[in-house]
Amino acid sequence: MTIKVQKQFGSYFDDWSESCSRLQHLLHCVIIVAMVGVVEFVAISTETTWDNVEPNRFSWTIFAYCLRFLSLLNLPMCVASFLGLTMYDAFPDPVRLRADPDSLPFVVVRIVTRGDFPDLVRQNSLANLRVCKETGLRHYSIEVVTKKSVQLPKMVHLREVVVPDFYEPSSGSMYKARQLQYCLEDGINELGDEDWILHLDEDSVLTPDAVKGMMNFIHDGEAHFGTGLVVTTRGPVSNWMTTLADLIKAADDMGRTRFLLKAFRKPWFGFKGSFLLANAKAERIVSFDNGPVGSMTEDAYFAMKGIQEGFRFGFIEGEVLEQSPCTLGDFLRQRKRWMQGLTLTVSCPKVITVHTSDCIGYHIRDNHDFLEIHSLEDEDLADDILFIVAIDSTHLIEWTVLQVPRPDSRNFQVDLHYWRTKIWLTIFYLSWLLTPLILLNGLFSKFPDPTPGIFKSIFTFNIAISTYYYLYGTLKNEKYLGMARSFLILLCLPLVIPFCSLLETASVVYSWFGHTNDFYVVKKVTRVLSSSSSACLSSSPSARCWRPQASCIP
């Protein structure tokens, strides 16, 4: 009788929770639509004509037009964000486990670090180990890949991999990509094709929802790679300025990223390397062996290669906790590395190869790569020829899939530019790179220029969505910030948004000057774990430890 009552109460509670979630999402949709509507009405109601333009200000009008058209670069990202935040539940319920943990393949939680913060790495490794155990994950291991030992305790499900100094990937990959590629090398990799790898940063801490979402993702088997929400308000706030600037990350993950991964299964605007779940076989095919070009922002480069290889991407339920940079200097250097890494990814050269024996060779003409096929011996060759690959003259750096229509003649040339894959990433990159110029629109908002209504509508739509990013990010981080702090941030949003915009603009301007020759890692704050973390020292007898079994330390 008691069990029956508990089940009924649990069912009622689930229904009530689901109703609250739907109500939250409905209210959220009303607010975002109302915000867009009000801003659109104000913009369209103010009309200007050429009669308002003074002759001596005609050149300034042209300049203002150029700035307005630059704002169009933000439109694809804002549309994707709007659709992601409205089409899918913006405040989902806690994740319900649908998978049977015993039936899931082996999962490696791989944490990459330089080893500069050993205390932090040990604490977070133990915390992640505890969460995996308490959530019911059976076949797993926590693996720390480091340049120098962090002195991990010798435990079941815990493994430390020190990358030797003499190791060099075949393409010359550096930094984090070098360490990740080392784990994929023959003799080091012990994972099978059906196993999975969850990539985390050294400051990442799993939540029970993230582990359940990961198990559901693997069980569904709908994608080869996945990512989810990363919250940057973990623990006591070390720097409020950087924390406020990072609030928009939650809206970005739940909006733009979620929409693309659910609707198209492609991360057209890039991918983050933390909270990245990958099938082991698919990761080995894509690989991190991409040379120096693919080492600064290895995650974005990896995403482009994954798209070109035809792999599917998906969105993982749940959230992972991380920290915002502790200082403004770290914030600026982190953004500078991202920006200059995207520059390399977007503008990288290609090494071309052909997947048939009919290719005679390729050459470069007018800075464009052309593939010249002199003969086709097989008259029954398929209508499409599959070309794969890419090089910077000496190193294999990228896989590219291009389809070329069968030619009428036996001698032809094909332009091998593959911007179809990177066009959206390029638009995203340009919109970020030109942020200072785009923000100048605010200074010219009152300037009398006869902007057509459709363009005014687009510009104001971008402003409304960007503004709502901070509102949603604050609400999404409320359970970590606390109700009082969140309410105070909401009241101060008219001041927070301009400040954060200026901070992001300063980081972009900083990236314009000087090339970063190092993979800058922001400083981390080490938190003290509770004594409950020692609970992970024991594991159930049925759990599988790291393979091979001899490597497990009881």
Side-chain angles (χ1 to χ4, degrees):
M1 182 68 179
T2 303
I3 296 177
K4 183 178 180 180
V5 171
Q6 288 178 345
K7 289 183 177 179
Q8 289 179 347
F9 178 78
S11 177
Y12 293 149
F13 179 80
D14 290 341
D15 293 340
W16 177 81
S17 177
E18 185 175 353
S19 299
C20 289
S21 176
R22 290 178 178 176
L23 182 60
Q24 280 183 305
H25 180 67
L26 179 60
L27 181 60
H28 147 82
C29 291
V30 170
I31 293 175
I32 189 173
V33 172
M35 180 177 292
V36 172
V38 170
V39 175
E40 294 282 358
F41 175 78
V42 172
I44 296 177
S45 61
T46 56
E47 297 183 358
T48 56
T49 63
W50 285 107
D51 296 335
N52 302 119
V53 182
E54 300 178 10
N56 60 342
R57 291 190 175 184
F58 185 80
S59 59
W60 285 104
T61 301
I62 299 300
F63 178 68
Y65 261 111
C66 293
L67 293 180
R68 300 290 169 85
F69 284 111
L70 282 180
S71 299
L72 292 176
L73 292 171
N74 285 327
L75 182 60
M77 284 72 73
C78 290
V79 170
S81 298
F82 177 79
L83 294 176
L85 291 173
T86 54
M87 291 176 58
Y88 309 105
D89 193 350
F91 297 92
D93 291 326
V95 180
R96 299 179 184 178
L97 183 61
R98 303 188 303 270
D100 178 12
D102 290 320
S103 65
L104 295 177
F106 197 79
V107 179
V108 172
V109 180
R110 182 165 289 164
I111 303 171
V112 178
T113 176
R114 283 182 175 178
D116 296 334
F117 308 99
D119 292 337
L120 177 72
V121 174
R122 286 194 297 269
Q123 290 181 3
N124 289 347
S125 298
L126 292 175
N128 291 329
L129 193 61
R130 183 182 69 254
V131 172
C132 290
K133 181 181 183 303
E134 294 176 350
T135 309
L137 189 62
R138 295 288 187 269
H139 317 308
Y140 69 96
S141 177
I142 308 295
E143 179 185 83
V144 176
V145 183
T146 177
K147 293 180 65 177
K148 49 189 176 184
S149 177
V150 295
Q151 301 299 318
L152 284 182
K154 297 179 179 179
M155 301 164 50
V156 174
H157 299 294
L158 195 60
R159 183 194 192 202
E160 178 177 312
V161 177
V162 179
V163 181
D165 294 336
F166 60 81
Y167 170 70
E168 292 186 6
S170 59
S171 69
S173 295
M174 303 183 296
Y175 314 130
K176 183 178 179 179
R178 171 181 173 269
Q179 295 174 250
L180 291 170
Q181 184 60 29
Y182 178 75
C183 299
L184 303 180
E185 299 288 357
D186 295 337
I188 304 299
N189 174 57
E190 298 287 347
L191 298 177
D193 291 346
E194 302 301 322
D195 295 331
W196 290 77
I197 305 168
L198 178 64
H199 294 280
L200 298 178
D201 286 342
E202 59 188 358
D203 63 328
S204 304
V205 174
L206 293 169
T207 63
D209 278 352
V211 177
K212 292 178 184 177
M214 175 188 68
M215 290 192 281
N216 290 339
F217 185 91
I218 296 173
H219 173 264
D220 294 340
E222 297 178 353
H224 303 92
F225 303 104
T227 190
L229 171 63
V230 174
V231 176
T232 56
T233 52
R234 169 198 166 211
V237 176
S238 57
N239 189 305
W240 273 105
M241 290 183 287
T242 60
T243 299
L244 292 174
D246 278 343
L247 287 177
I248 61 173
K249 286 186 175 181
D252 192 46
D253 289 341
M254 296 296 287
R256 181 184 67 192
T257 300
R258 183 170 59 158
F259 172 73
L260 293 177
L261 298 186
K262 283 182 172 289
F264 299 103
R265 299 290 184 182
K266 306 292 183 184
W268 296 117
F269 298 128
F271 210 52
K272 59 177 178 285
S274 179
F275 198 13
L276 164 60
L277 181 63
N279 172 260
K281 180 180 179 180
E283 181 170 309
R284 288 197 302 273
I285 293 174
V286 178
S287 88
F288 292 94
D289 196 10
N290 304 313
V293 173
S295 299
M296 195 63 70
T297 49
E298 80 293 332
D299 42 12
Y301 203 102
F302 185 90
M304 295 300 102
K305 287 183 62 178
I307 294 175
Q308 291 163 2
E309 286 288 353
F311 289 112
R312 297 187 303 276
F313 294 73
F315 192 81
I316 305 173
E317 301 169 290
E319 57 199 31
V320 166
L321 309 180
E322 293 185 356
Q323 300 175 7
S324 293
C326 296
T327 66
L328 286 177
D330 282 349
F331 181 89
L332 296 176
R333 294 184 185 94
Q334 181 191 63
R335 264 51 175 186
K336 180 177 182 177
R337 176 178 66 81
W338 291 352
M339 177 63 69
Q340 297 190 348
L342 283 179
T343 303
L344 295 175
T345 300
V346 167
S347 61
C348 67
K350 302 176 294 298
V351 185
I352 301 125
T353 300
V354 142
H355 208 92
T356 80
S357 61
D358 299 305
C359 175
I360 300 301
Y362 74 91
H363 63 275
I364 299 177
R365 189 185 71 187
D366 298 331
N367 295 323
H368 289 268
D369 291 332
F370 285 85
L371 179 66
E372 187 170 0
I373 298 182
H374 298 288
S375 66
L376 295 175
E377 297 177 359
D378 187 358
E379 295 294 339
D380 296 326
L381 195 64
D383 290 341
D384 290 335
I385 302 174
L386 183 62
F387 295 98
I388 314 180
V389 222
I391 303 186
D392 61 354
S393 73
T394 56
H395 300 309
L396 176 65
I397 61 171
E398 187 161 10
W399 292 86
T400 307
V401 177
L402 295 173
Q403 289 187 337
V404 183
R406 171 190 272 184
D408 294 329
S409 65
R410 300 175 68 85
N411 295 288
F412 64 97
Q413 290 181 332
V414 179
D415 190 351
L416 292 177
H417 277 291
Y418 56 100
W419 288 103
R420 288 183 303 171
T421 298
K422 296 195 295 186
I423 182 63
W424 297 112
L425 180 65
T426 303
I427 292 174
F428 167 73
Y429 162 74
L430 290 176
S431 68
W432 192 10
L433 181 68
L434 300 176
T435 296
L437 297 179
I438 294 174
L439 290 180
L440 283 178
N441 279 293
L443 300 178
F444 289 87
S445 59
K446 299 299 183 180
F447 193 79
D449 59 305
T451 304
I454 183 62
F455 290 107
K456 280 190 176 181
S457 179
I458 291 174
F459 304 149
T460 53
F461 174 80
N462 293 344
I463 294 173
I465 296 300
S466 300
T467 302
Y468 188 77
Y469 256 37
Y470 290 95
L471 174 60
Y472 177 80
T474 304
L475 296 176
K476 195 64 180 176
N477 285 273
E478 182 271 331
K479 65 179 179 181
Y480 301 106
L481 291 172
M483 183 175 295
R485 288 179 173 178
S486 299
F487 182 71
L488 181 61
I489 293 174
L490 291 176
L491 291 178
C492 297
L493 277 183
L495 299 176
V496 169
I497 294 175
F499 169 78
C500 293
S501 299
L502 291 175
L503 188 58
E504 290 287 356
T505 302
S507 67
V508 173
V509 173
Y510 180 63
S511 71
W512 290 353
F513 303 98
H515 182 70
T516 177
N517 296 315
D518 190 21
F519 190 98
Y520 186 80
V521 178
V522 300
K523 296 179 176 61
K524 308 296 193 310
V525 176
T526 304
R527 309 295 184 194
V528 178
L529 289 179
S530 64
S531 58
S532 61
S533 62
S534 61
C536 63
L537 288 172
S538 61
S539 60
S540 61
S542 61
R544 290 169 54 194
C545 56
W546 178 264
R547 294 176 296 192
Q549 295 291 331
S551 65
C552 292
I553 301 175

